[in-house]
Amino acid sequence: MRLPVDDEIYNVNAVWLGPPRKTLPWRARYVAYAVGLVVFVLLQVIERRLGIGLGFFSLAYSVLATVGLTRLILNVVDHDRPLSSVLAAFAHEIEAPREQTKITERTIRPARVRAVPFRVSRAQRRAARRRQAQPQEA
């Protein structure tokens, strides 16, 4: 049995509808414009660092990549999970300590290994003394 959502205020997306008959041809939340702008600027910086010049096709591909990446990012962002908490969770995941999986191999040279005599524990010494102190049965 499925229950309907009782929080009807969250069913409304915060989108700019604009004046009557002069709306944008797409529906996007306000946060999408900010995320899209940041993604576009980052893509432009990366393109310039790679030596890709500013031309029509590089700009067109950047816009398409921006739309795709923005949609991908905003698939996880909603009213229960705002962008700030998603970014904080991502940062915590990156900084979390990890188990070391790299196998460490060391070479031991016999000349550098010190021979340490085997040391008997106290309990073993006591047991040995008791055995010596007990009379031997034939």
Side-chain angles (χ1 to χ4, degrees):
M1 178 178 178
R2 295 190 75 155
L3 296 174
V5 177
D6 59 345
D7 296 333
E8 293 187 13
I9 190 167
Y10 293 124
N11 288 338
V12 177
N13 281 330
V15 296
W16 184 72
L17 299 175
R21 293 183 301 277
K22 291 187 176 40
T23 61
L24 295 174
W26 61 83
R27 287 179 55 99
R29 294 180 283 173
Y30 290 127
V31 71
Y33 294 109
V35 170
L37 179 68
V38 170
V39 168
F40 182 75
V41 169
L42 286 175
L43 283 175
Q44 290 302 307
V45 168
I46 291 169
E47 283 182 4
R48 297 300 96 63
R49 297 288 289 183
L50 292 175
I52 300 172
L54 184 63
F56 174 76
F57 288 108
S58 66
L59 214 56
Y61 288 131
S62 292
V63 169
L64 290 175
T66 298
V67 170
L69 287 172
T70 303
R71 283 187 175 192
L72 187 70
I73 291 169
L74 292 179
N75 278 338
V76 250
V77 175
D78 57 5
H79 62 276
D80 286 332
R81 217 174 339 174
L83 183 63
S84 59
S85 67
V86 171
L87 292 176
F90 181 72
H92 290 300
E93 186 64 32
I94 294 295
E95 296 170 356
R98 304 278 188 244
E99 181 181 344
Q100 193 173 27
T101 58
K102 183 179 176 184
I103 298 172
T104 307
E105 293 183 11
R106 300 260 160 84
T107 303
I108 299 175
R109 297 189 179 151
R112 293 188 179 179
V113 176
R114 287 187 0 200
V116 179
F118 177 71
R119 188 170 177 172
V120 181
S121 69
R122 275 189 200 166
Q124 290 172 338
R125 283 185 287 197
R126 285 184 198 148
R129 278 190 228 134
R130 284 187 198 136
R131 276 183 272 158
Q132 288 176 355
Q134 290 179 352
Q136 303 266 337
E137 290 184 27

